[in-house]
């Protein structure tokens, strides 16, 4: 049984520490976690009981039946081969669109937020165009995609055409092996496929994709008219060719996303009209059909709209266009206008605060069922989780007012109720934050969830203001925009919003392991405890390092070597990402890139 804290005497008073929940005292501690879960409705309880978890331990999936799917790489490769000769950014758009057009879709029992990125809820997708290594890892395990012969044929094609195939020629074999071992530094992005992003959710929520298509098509029309105008000026007009290709890719992919969502709409309608016997669920399925026909094509009007639009955007940016870890957004600010419309003003999709809590519980359960097709290295690195999902709440607004609101409280209460490890939460602490919300933060931590982690609002805001001075284009965040930040991954604040957000991890991220660097410094750069190979410089045997200064200099050289290699691989990956891993959907929902006809990965890269 859990141990109750003993009473203490303080200034003549006896202070007791009773259980917040009296039933805790009768529950064995090994069962306490799940017994503490108090999901708000019978529906969310049923979903959690049948949830298809994708958690890993020692690199293996804990649940039986989890394996790699084949549909994403099948349909992506099919369209990529068929589009040979077209501009690369168009090929990317057509390949992803083919996945959306042909991939299997389904709606599970009780769920309200729909959408998945593989053909079965037990499957995880594969990304051979990034690196065939990950697919090969799955093929050599019990999680292999089926049929394995088809998977092998796909891998063989991408062995010569993937991001890794393009980048690896600029390294020696020893350099590649040292990085692939992941001892003092993480593997290059072109080999691991690991990525992170901050999607501009606000654009989809506020504009809808039909508006993005309209803007791109207007730019195409204007550019073609400029190309055809008399008095040809090459310097001005040749650059329009690449822009037209980018705008056309945006139109292709946004139309495909709308059609994909409307496939879900049609499926919900078919289920309601032909198969569902429960009148309440039938009515709900028809409501889902309406939402998914409008969203994400049109602007969101209510909280249900916003949640579905956010999930589609997440899947596109993190799981379908390419893989990316994280869940970076400031959820209470993003959804507050829609929460207000539905819960307070009741102008669209009216609901109570308690019903809003259920919607956030449904989101947590949807995230918990999400599966990332990571290689074994990253499955080993994130034990107990299916991926890294971290959203942010709290903090201050651009006018320096308190950012906490009733939507913040609903998000935190849902986390307390559901007791799922994902998504994790960052609470941006500021003295102005209301006590009611801070109490919920305390309760969530007290209940043993391990989150919210607490980041200092002022420090994070000032960090973004400081870093903005290094923008190559002078387009860094303004002091007002600096208040709009979320945790990208680990504990790194990043700007969120309609523009200026991170599009790829190679914009600046990389990992080195100082403790391991120090260990190999003591053995002349040789890794005796893990890989059994030379992974660093030969800076001298420990017996040859006579003073502390000698040791420090050897450590500095090893550290510099690892840091230089990580930065080199980051930039090389970025160089080839720009040319072969374009992201038409991400580009289409950032106002800056639509306006200028730029591909999202070009942002401040300095390469083109």
């Amino acid at each position: 049984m859990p141990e109750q804290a003993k009473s203490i005497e303080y200034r003549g008073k006896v202070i007791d520490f009773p259980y917040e929940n009296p039933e805790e005292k009768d529950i064995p501690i090994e069962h306490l976690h799940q017994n503490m879960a108090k999901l708000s409705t019978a529906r969310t309880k049923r979903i959690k009981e049948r949830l298809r978890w994708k958690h890993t331990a020692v690199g293996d999936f804990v649940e039986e039946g989890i394996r790699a799917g084949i549909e994403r790489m099948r349909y992506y490769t099919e369209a990529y081969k068929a589009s040979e000769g077209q501009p690369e950014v168009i090929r990317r758009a057509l390949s992803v669109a083919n996945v959306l057009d042909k991939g299997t879709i389904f709606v599970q029992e009780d769920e309200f937020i729909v959408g998945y990125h593989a053909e079965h809820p037990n499957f995880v997708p594969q990304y051979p165009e990034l690196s065939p290594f990950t697919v090969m890892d799955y093929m050599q395990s019990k999680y292999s995609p089926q049929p394995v012969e088809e998977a092998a044929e796909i891998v063989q094609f991408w062995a010569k055409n993937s991001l890794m195939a393009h980048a690896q020629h600029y390294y020696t074999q020893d350099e590649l092996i040292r990085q692939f071992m992941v001892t003092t530094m993480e593997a290059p992005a072109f080999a691991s496929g690991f990525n992170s992003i901050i999607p501009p959710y606000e654009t989809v929520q506020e504009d809808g994709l039909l508006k993005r298509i309209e803007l791109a098509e207007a730019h195409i029309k204007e550019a073609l008219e400029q190309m055809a105008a008399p008095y040809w000026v090459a310097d001005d007009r040749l650059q329009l060719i690449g822009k037209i290709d980018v705008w056309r890719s945006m139109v292709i992919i946004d139309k495909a996303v709308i059609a994909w969502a409307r496939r879900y709409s049609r499926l919900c309608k078919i289920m309601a009209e032909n198969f569902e016997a429960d009148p309440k669920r039938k009515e709900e399925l028809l409501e889902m059909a309406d939402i998914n026909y409008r969203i994400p094509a049109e602007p969101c009007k209510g909280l249900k709209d916003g949640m579905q639009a956010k999930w589609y955007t997440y899947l596109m940016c993190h799981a379908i266009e390419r893989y990316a870890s994280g869940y970076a957004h400031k959820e209470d600010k993003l959804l507050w206008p829609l929460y207000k419309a539905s819960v307070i003003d009741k102008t669209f999709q009216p609901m109570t605060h308690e019903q809003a809590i259920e919607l956030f519980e449904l989101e947590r359960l949807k995230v918990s069922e999400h599966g990332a097709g990571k290689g074994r290295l990253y499955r080993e690195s994130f034990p107990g989780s299916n991926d890294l999902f971290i959203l942010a709440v709290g903090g201050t607004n651009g006018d320096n007012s308190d950012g906490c609101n009733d939507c913040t409280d609903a998000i935190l209460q849902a986390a307390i109720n559901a007791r799922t490890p994902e998504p994790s939460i960052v609470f941006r602490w500021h003295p102005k934050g209301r006590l009611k919300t801070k109490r919920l933060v305390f309760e969530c931590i007290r209940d043993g969830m391990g989150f919210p982690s607490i980041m200092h609002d002022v420090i994070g805001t000032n960090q973004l203001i400081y870093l903005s001075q290094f923008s190559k284009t002078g387009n860094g965040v303004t002091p007002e925009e600096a208040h709009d930040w979320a945790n990208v991954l680990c504990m790194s604040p990043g700007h969120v919003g309609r523009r200026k957000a991170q599009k790829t991890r190679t914009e600046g991220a990389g990992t080195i392991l100082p403790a391991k660097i120090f260990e190999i410094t003591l053995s002349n750069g040789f890794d005796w405890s893990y890989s059994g190979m030379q992974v660093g410089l030969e800076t001298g045997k420990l017996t040859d390092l006579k003073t502390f200064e000698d040791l420090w200099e050897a450590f500095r050289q090893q550290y510099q070597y690892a840091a230089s290699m990580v930065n080199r691989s980051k930039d090389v990956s970025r160089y080839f990402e720009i040319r072969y891993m374009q992201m038409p959907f991400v580009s289409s929902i950032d106002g800056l890139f639509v306006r200028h006809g730029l591909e999202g990965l070009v942002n401040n890269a300095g390469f083109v």
Side-chain angles (χ1 to χ4, degrees):
M1 304 301 171
E3 184 177 346
Q4 184 174 0
K6 296 179 180 178
S7 302
I8 62 171
E9 186 175 337
Y10 179 72
R11 293 186 176 181
K13 295 181 178 179
V14 175
I15 300 176
D16 296 319
F17 298 94
Y19 292 107
E20 182 78 11
N21 302 296
E23 64 269 26
E24 289 181 39
K25 63 182 177 61
D26 298 321
I27 300 172
I29 197 163
E30 62 270 21
H31 299 149
L32 186 61
H33 176 75
Q34 286 307 320
N35 276 275
M36 290 282 288
K38 297 186 182 299
L39 288 149
S40 62
T41 65
R43 181 236 295 271
T44 51
K45 290 175 183 175
R46 289 194 300 269
I47 292 177
K48 187 175 183 183
E49 287 172 358
R50 63 95 179 134
L51 207 62
R52 303 167 188 266
W53 302 93
K54 308 298 190 304
H55 294 168
T56 60
V58 201
D60 289 319
F61 292 103
V62 175
E63 298 288 323
E64 291 295 326
I66 307 299
R67 66 177 173 89
I70 201 166
E71 282 195 356
R72 185 196 176 276
M73 60 180 184
R74 169 190 292 159
Y75 297 132
Y76 185 97
T77 305
E78 176 185 87
Y80 191 83
K81 288 179 176 179
S83 61
E84 185 176 3
Q86 297 201 50
E88 197 68 25
V89 69
I90 298 291
R91 299 184 78 183
R92 279 280 288 165
L94 290 171
S95 299
V96 177
N98 199 45
V99 174
L100 298 174
D101 291 344
K102 295 183 177 179
T104 302
I105 65 169
F106 50 85
V107 175
Q108 296 192 80
E109 190 78 16
D110 284 319
E111 74 177 353
F112 188 84
I113 306 165
V114 300
Y116 196 65
H117 53 313
E119 60 268 37
H120 189 282
N122 275 350
F123 291 4
V124 295
Q126 297 292 285
Y127 309 87
E129 74 278 15
L130 290 170
S131 170
F133 271 12
T134 300
V135 187
M136 292 166 64
D137 164 59
Y138 278 88
M139 289 173 63
Q140 295 168 8
S141 72
K142 62 181 179 181
Y143 313 121
S144 178
Q146 299 295 328
V148 68
E149 296 80 12
E150 181 184 0
E153 183 180 332
I154 292 171
V155 166
Q156 186 176 11
F157 172 80
W158 288 107
K160 297 179 180 179
N161 296 281
S162 65
L163 179 67
M164 179 176 170
H166 291 295
Q168 65 183 354
H169 302 296
Y170 301 89
Y171 295 82
T172 67
Q173 193 67 18
D174 282 346
E175 287 174 332
L176 289 173
I177 292 173
R178 287 181 180 187
Q179 292 183 89
F180 293 169
M181 292 307 300
V182 191
T183 52
T184 60
M185 64 193 93
E186 71 173 317
F190 63 73
S192 68
F194 191 72
N195 189 33
S196 56
I197 186 176
I198 305 177
Y201 291 105
E202 290 81 356
T203 307
V204 182
Q205 177 178 299
E206 295 166 8
D207 294 0
L209 294 184
L210 288 174
K211 179 65 175 178
R212 313 312 294 172
I213 294 169
E214 178 186 328
L215 290 170
E217 289 180 334
H219 285 304
I220 293 169
K221 181 176 182 294
E222 181 183 358
L224 289 173
E225 289 172 352
Q226 290 182 44
M227 292 279 288
Y231 309 110
W232 174 264
V233 181
D235 288 347
D236 294 337
R237 300 182 190 177
L238 283 177
Q239 62 179 313
L240 292 174
I241 295 174
K243 294 177 183 290
I244 290 170
D245 289 341
V246 170
W247 285 318
R248 284 174 172 166
S249 74
M250 294 176 180
V251 173
I252 291 168
I253 197 63
D254 284 357
K255 285 183 176 180
V257 172
I258 291 171
W260 177 54
R262 288 178 175 174
R263 290 179 65 200
Y264 279 100
S265 171
R266 186 165 60 252
L267 178 58
C268 289
K269 194 169 190 293
I270 291 170
M271 291 171 64
E273 294 177 348
N274 297 280
F275 301 101
E276 185 55 59
D278 181 359
K280 184 177 179 181
R281 178 61 174 169
K282 180 176 181 178
E283 182 181 353
E284 185 175 68
L285 284 166
L286 291 173
E287 180 185 21
M288 292 160 62
D290 170 69
I291 291 171
N292 286 276
Y293 187 84
R294 292 184 296 101
I295 302 302
E298 302 171 14
C300 299
K301 299 178 183 179
L303 188 57
K304 293 176 181 177
D305 285 358
M307 192 65 79
Q308 185 62 67
K310 182 161 74 80
W311 187 248
Y312 278 141
T313 307
Y314 168 80
L315 286 179
M316 284 301 303
C317 297
H318 285 264
I320 296 177
E321 192 163 60
R322 68 177 290 187
Y323 165 68
S325 190
Y327 200 43
H329 64 296
K330 191 171 182 301
E331 187 170 41
D332 51 351
K333 181 176 182 181
L334 174 69
L335 294 179
W336 169 245
L338 301 175
Y339 175 96
K340 185 174 182 295
S342 293
V343 180
I344 299 174
D345 301 334
K346 301 190 184 301
T347 54
F348 197 80
Q349 294 168 344
M351 65 178 72
T352 64
H353 180 74
E354 288 69 30
Q355 289 171 320
I357 291 173
E358 186 202 26
L359 192 57
F360 287 111
E361 291 176 5
L362 288 169
E363 178 195 19
R364 296 194 67 82
L365 296 169
K366 192 72 174 175
V367 168
S368 295
E369 197 162 60
H370 183 82
K374 303 188 298 292
R376 187 173 189 87
L377 168 66
Y378 284 95
R379 299 200 305 270
E380 290 178 351
S381 300
F382 306 145
S385 71
N386 50 342
D387 204 1
L388 300 178
F389 299 90
I390 312 167
L391 62 86
V393 296
T396 52
N397 298 316
D399 60 2
N400 214 35
S401 61
D402 181 17
C404 300
N405 52 52
D406 289 350
C407 187
T408 320
D409 295 353
I411 294 165
L412 291 167
Q413 189 61 60
I416 294 169
N417 292 354
R419 297 188 69 81
T420 59
E422 286 89 35
S424 186
I425 301 174
V426 160
F427 179 71
R428 289 170 43 184
W429 185 91
H430 192 281
K432 291 182 179 178
R434 63 184 191 179
L435 290 178
K436 177 184 178 183
T437 301
K438 289 178 177 176
R439 171 69 191 188
L440 287 170
V441 171
F442 161 76
E443 289 179 6
C444 201
I445 296 171
R446 178 208 60 202
D447 284 355
M449 296 305 299
F451 59 77
S453 57
I454 298 178
M455 297 179 69
H456 199 291
D457 182 69
V458 175
I459 292 175
T461 301
N462 288 343
Q463 182 176 336
L464 264 63
I465 293 172
Y466 171 77
L467 292 173
S468 68
Q469 67 182 300
F470 301 109
S471 168
K472 290 183 177 181
T473 60
N475 197 36
V477 298
T478 65
E480 182 178 356
E481 291 171 336
H483 287 268
D484 293 331
W485 61 267
N487 186 35
V488 185
L489 279 181
C490 299
M491 296 300 286
S492 301
H495 178 63
V496 301
R498 292 175 63 99
R499 57 190 66 84
K500 303 183 184 180
Q502 175 181 311
K503 303 302 184 297
T504 177
R505 181 173 169 82
T506 56
E507 286 187 27
T511 300
I512 55 177
L513 306 168
K516 189 66 178 182
I517 293 173
F518 183 72
E519 179 192 304
I520 68 163
T521 302
L522 301 178
S523 54
N524 198 21
F526 185 80
D527 177 22
W528 60 270
S529 65
Y530 177 66
S531 64
M533 61 178 288
Q534 189 76 22
V535 297
L537 303 175
E538 293 187 9
T539 49
K541 297 180 180 179
L542 186 57
T543 53
D544 296 330
L545 305 176
K546 303 300 184 184
T547 66
F548 174 79
E549 287 70 24
D550 291 342
L551 176 61
W552 182 257
E553 176 59 22
F555 175 66
R556 188 192 66 78
Q557 291 179 26
Q558 297 285 4
Y559 200 103
Q560 183 184 56
Y561 173 77
S564 178
M565 188 64 75
V566 165
N567 283 319
R568 172 186 166 190
S569 294
K570 171 183 69 69
D571 289 342
V572 169
S573 296
R574 182 70 174 281
Y575 180 91
F576 286 104
E577 277 182 328
I578 290 169
R579 287 155 178 79
Y580 298 101
M581 285 293 113
Q582 298 94 336
M583 299 190 293
F585 180 76
V586 173
S587 305
S588 77
I589 59 176
D590 187 296
L592 180 68
F593 297 108
V594 175
R595 186 183 314 126
H596 296 290
L598 294 174
E599 208 290 312
L601 288 165
V602 176
N603 182 26
N604 289 338
F607 293 134
V608 295

